[in-house]
Amino acid sequence: MLYTRGRTSPAMIEPDVVLTDYALALECAVLAYLLWRARTRRDPLALWFALAFLATAMAALAGGTVHGFFSDKTSAGHRVLWPLVLIMIGVGALAFTNIAAALRFTGRAVSAVSRAALALFLVYCLVVLFFDDRFVVAIIAYLPAVLFLGWVFLEQYLHTRQRTFAWGLAGIGVTLLAAVIQQARIGLHPRYFNHNALYHTLQAAGLFMIFLTARSSKKQG
């Protein structure tokens, strides 16, 4: 998640941002549950997709709480919840990488990509916990995984012409657009629906499109 940290206040800061973050968390939690319930032993993709949505839900919940109530970096809430946001983003990137690898490769190649992704995730955790907790570090970790998954969705669509992969590709595009809009600070209203709130809304739409792919995707090979 992307957040602007303001000054601490006894009241909720930027309720539009907090509420859209909480709505995103609820959506992703429901989608994770639906995927988990529909899982099969022969289809590990459902587990990775469920993990990706669950991690996003936790990041959104923690991030909304930080953004609304613990923007002071010295507060106990911030010190606990902000690292959780960053780590959950890393978990989402790890899950997306494993999904893309399972769709694109088979056998040893999948295992090699999975081990490399896990190693990078562990390094990322060390960095954000002990060296640099800026959000740009999370972007560096998350963006390659999203692009990798988008490329695999495109390749799968061109190969199979299945609409489900078109939905996933569109979802990746919407989530990337949302990040660009957030970084450019484009909002519908500076007070009532700012760039972060718009970002969360677009991200919710993009993730639902990815869910449409997740519920019907099967491991190749």
Side-chain angles (χ1 to χ4, degrees):
M1 305 299 101
L2 302 180
Y3 306 97
T4 303
R5 304 177 193 177
R7 293 176 293 179
T8 303
S9 170
M12 182 188 295
I13 303 170
E14 295 182 299
D16 57 328
V17 179
V18 177
L19 294 177
T20 52
D21 228 342
Y22 284 175
L24 177 63
L26 177 61
E27 177 200 41
C28 289
V30 171
L31 298 183
Y33 169 73
L34 292 175
L35 291 169
W36 173 264
R37 189 179 65 177
R39 75 192 188 283
T40 64
R41 290 184 177 181
R42 296 183 179 181
D43 182 22
L45 274 178
L47 299 178
W48 283 117
F49 272 119
L51 179 61
F53 283 106
L54 180 60
T56 303
M58 294 180 67
L61 180 61
T65 304
V66 168
H67 195 90
F69 305 101
F70 298 106
S71 59
D72 181 359
K73 294 183 181 181
T74 64
S75 66
H78 189 284
R79 291 197 300 269
V80 172
L81 293 175
W82 183 248
L84 178 62
V85 172
L86 298 178
I87 290 174
M88 286 301 102
I89 291 173
V91 171
L94 176 65
F96 274 180
T97 301
N98 278 275
I99 292 164
L103 285 170
R104 179 60 180 82
F105 305 116
T106 58
R108 293 182 178 179
V110 176
S111 297
V113 173
S114 181
R115 287 194 296 269
L118 179 59
L120 291 173
F121 169 71
L122 294 176
V123 171
Y124 165 78
C125 288
L126 290 174
V127 170
V128 298
L129 288 175
F130 299 107
F131 299 101
D132 193 343
D133 68 348
R134 292 176 302 161
F135 193 78
V136 67
V137 178
I139 294 176
I140 293 172
Y142 194 75
L143 184 58
V146 173
L147 293 176
F148 181 28
L149 184 58
W151 170 65
V152 171
F153 281 162
L154 174 60
E155 188 177 60
Q156 290 292 319
Y157 174 72
L158 294 176
H159 178 69
T160 66
R161 294 297 176 180
Q162 293 181 14
R163 185 177 298 179
T164 180
F165 292 113
W167 277 116
L169 182 60
I172 293 292
V174 171
T175 58
L176 291 174
L177 175 62
V180 171
I181 287 175
Q182 197 281 339
Q183 288 293 294
R185 304 180 68 85
I186 299 172
L188 300 182
H189 191 280
R191 180 177 180 182
Y192 299 111
F193 210 86
N194 69 13
H195 58 288
N196 281 317
L198 181 58
Y199 166 73
H200 296 148
T201 303
L202 290 174
Q203 191 180 41
L207 287 170
F208 182 76
M209 295 177 191
I210 294 174
F211 167 76
L212 296 178
T213 299
R215 68 178 183 175
S216 57
S217 295
K218 301 296 181 182
K219 186 181 187 306
Q220 303 300 303

